[in-house]
């Protein structure tokens, strides 16, 4: 009688491996397909890993360059500059948990109850990051410059001029945050193509002035502008110790971590845990322009 082999076959794809694949896909979608595009649009080149609870700052530099035409043998005058840093809050760990009950899985199926809701939580995490970004931009930024114009083009042009002066050594590329109703007329009457990044629409090289990000989170009739090089992303790393402690899946960047599809048998639920700690700020407050459309 032939012996029946009851052990698992080699190279069998297991349920745990499939769960891991879904977690890797979640992280990839967030970091490399969404967050990376936002960083590209904002021109973020500095990404700073921090410890939870560390204070974040924006900086203002004041001073004046003295005359460099110094005769031979005379004392060279000192050019004095002062850097002032203003605290803007502490970076915090954000944690989210989602659960699908046995009844929900029975009614809707596993994909709808667990995997589809993982996708929804991804979008909501992105929304939270956008909320924090606009919360900073809409708030009081000490040392920010002002600009105004009779219409959107004139106002953005005024801001563009300010940015070129403020960042004259860096060949600055400007980025503006504008309310949809303030730009709607241009979108309707001109051949302008909008693109999307991280849930926000934007227009590249708008009227030759730079990138315009369109968001209803900006107060109508106003806008915020700065140089792309001025943005920094602070973050808490989600790999290393925290990934080990909670069995999170994260990639090499460590921007976000997820544990998906684990069982809570006491409540007969399938749960997901997501963690991140991301905040976009500017480095120099004086490089931010707060604009008014319709002002003198």
């Amino acid at each position: 009688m032939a012996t029946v082999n009851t052990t698992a076959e080699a190279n069998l794809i297991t349920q745990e491996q499939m769960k891991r694949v879904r977690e890797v896909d979640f992280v990839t979608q967030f970091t490399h397909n969404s967050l990376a595009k936002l960083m590209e649009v904002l021109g973020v080149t500095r990404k700073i890993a921090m410890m939870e609870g560390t204070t974040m700052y924006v900086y203002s530099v004041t001073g004046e360059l003295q005359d460099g035409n110094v005769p031979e043998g005379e004392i060279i005058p000192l050019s004095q500059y002062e850097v002032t840093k203003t605290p803007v809050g502490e970076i915090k760990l954000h944690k989210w948990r989602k659960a699908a009950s046995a009844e929900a899985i029975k009614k809707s199926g596993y994909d709808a109850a667990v995997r589809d809701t993982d996708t929804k939580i991804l979008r909501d995490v992105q929304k939270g990051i956008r909320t924090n970004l606009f919360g900073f931009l809409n708030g009081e930024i000490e040392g920010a410059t002002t600009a105004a114009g009779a219409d959107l083009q004139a106002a953005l042009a005024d801001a563009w001029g300010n940015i070129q002066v403020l960042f004259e050594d860096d060949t600055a590329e400007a980025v503006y945050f504008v309310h949809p109703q303030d730009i709607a007329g241009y979108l309707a009457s001109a051949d302008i193509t909008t693109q999307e990044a991280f849930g926000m629409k934007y227009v590249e090289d708008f009227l030759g002035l730079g990138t315009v990000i369109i968001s209803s989170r900006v107060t109508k009739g106003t806008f915020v502008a700065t140089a792309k090089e001025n943005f920094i992303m602070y973050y808490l790393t989600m790999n290393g110790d925290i990934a080990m402690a909670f069995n999170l899946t994260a990639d090499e960047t460590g921007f976000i971590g997820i544990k998906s599809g684990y069982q809570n048998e006491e409540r007969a639920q399938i749960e997901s845990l997501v963690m991140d700690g991301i905040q976009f700020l500017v480095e120099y407050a004086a490089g931010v322009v707060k604009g008014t459309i319709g002002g003198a």
Side-chain angles (χ1 to χ4, degrees):
M1 184 176 181
T3 303
V4 178
N5 185 1
T6 59
T7 59
E9 293 185 81
N11 301 322
L12 175 67
I13 299 175
T14 65
Q15 180 180 356
E16 183 62 28
Q17 288 174 321
M18 288 303 299
K19 182 174 76 69
R20 174 74 174 177
V21 167
R22 292 194 300 272
E23 291 175 343
V24 170
D25 182 63
F26 181 100
V27 172
T28 301
Q29 290 292 329
F30 179 86
T31 302
H32 300 286
N33 296 353
S34 296
L35 188 63
K37 186 61 178 178
L38 175 62
M39 289 190 288
E40 178 186 336
V41 173
L42 294 180
V44 175
T45 57
R46 295 187 62 194
K47 301 175 285 293
I48 302 176
M50 303 184 73
M51 298 294 291
E52 207 272 337
T54 305
T55 301
M56 298 176 292
Y57 296 92
V58 293
Y59 298 86
S60 297
V61 180
T62 57
E64 183 178 353
L65 183 68
Q66 299 297 316
D67 189 356
N69 295 314
V70 182
E72 182 180 357
E74 292 193 8
I75 295 176
I76 302 171
L78 288 175
S79 298
Q80 186 176 25
Y81 294 89
E82 182 179 358
V83 178
T84 303
K85 62 180 185 179
T86 303
V88 291
E90 297 180 349
I91 190 165
K92 297 179 180 179
L93 176 65
H94 302 127
K95 308 178 290 289
W96 299 272
R97 187 168 65 97
K98 172 186 66 68
S101 66
E103 289 80 2
I105 295 172
K106 186 175 185 299
K107 180 178 180 180
S108 304
Y110 188 91
D111 281 351
V114 178
R115 298 174 190 172
D116 291 353
T117 51
D118 278 353
T119 302
K120 180 61 169 64
I121 201 173
L122 172 64
R123 291 197 295 267
D124 287 342
V125 169
Q126 294 174 348
K127 182 179 178 180
I129 295 172
R130 295 196 303 268
T131 298
N132 291 338
L133 169 63
F134 283 102
F136 169 73
L137 293 175
N138 290 327
E140 184 71 25
I141 301 178
E142 186 175 347
T145 307
T146 60
D151 57 20
L152 178 63
Q153 183 171 1
L156 296 190
D158 188 24
W160 179 88
N162 280 312
I163 291 170
Q164 301 312 305
V165 172
L166 293 167
F167 295 91
E168 62 180 343
D169 295 329
D170 300 321
T171 315
E173 184 178 353
V175 57
Y176 312 84
F177 298 85
V178 177
H179 191 278
Q181 291 179 332
D182 289 322
I183 197 174
Y186 290 88
L187 298 180
S189 61
D191 185 16
I192 295 174
T193 301
T194 61
Q195 302 180 64
E196 188 165 335
F198 213 70
M200 296 185 294
K201 293 189 180 298
Y202 69 97
V203 179
E204 290 184 333
D205 197 27
F206 179 72
L207 303 176
L209 297 172
T211 299
V212 170
I213 295 176
I214 306 166
S215 175
S216 59
R217 296 181 184 272
V218 180
T219 303
K220 186 177 182 298
T222 71
F223 66 91
V224 183
T226 189
K228 286 189 172 184
E229 298 82 1
N230 199 21
F231 277 103
I232 300 177
M233 189 183 83
Y234 293 104
Y235 70 98
L236 302 174
T237 180
M238 293 298 109
N239 47 28
D241 288 345
I242 196 166
M244 184 183 302
F246 295 97
N247 197 25
L248 298 178
T249 296
D251 65 2
E252 69 281 358
T253 67
F255 295 150
I256 193 169
I258 181 174
K259 180 182 179 182
S260 175
Y262 64 92
Q263 296 177 351
N264 182 335
E265 295 180 352
E266 290 182 348
R267 297 180 181 272
Q269 297 176 165
I270 299 296
E271 302 186 2
S272 296
L273 175 67
V274 179
M275 295 187 189
D276 85 350
I278 295 174
Q279 175 68 59
F280 287 96
L281 294 176
V282 296
E283 183 170 14
Y284 294 109
V288 177
V289 179
K290 294 272 194 166
T292 304
I293 302 167

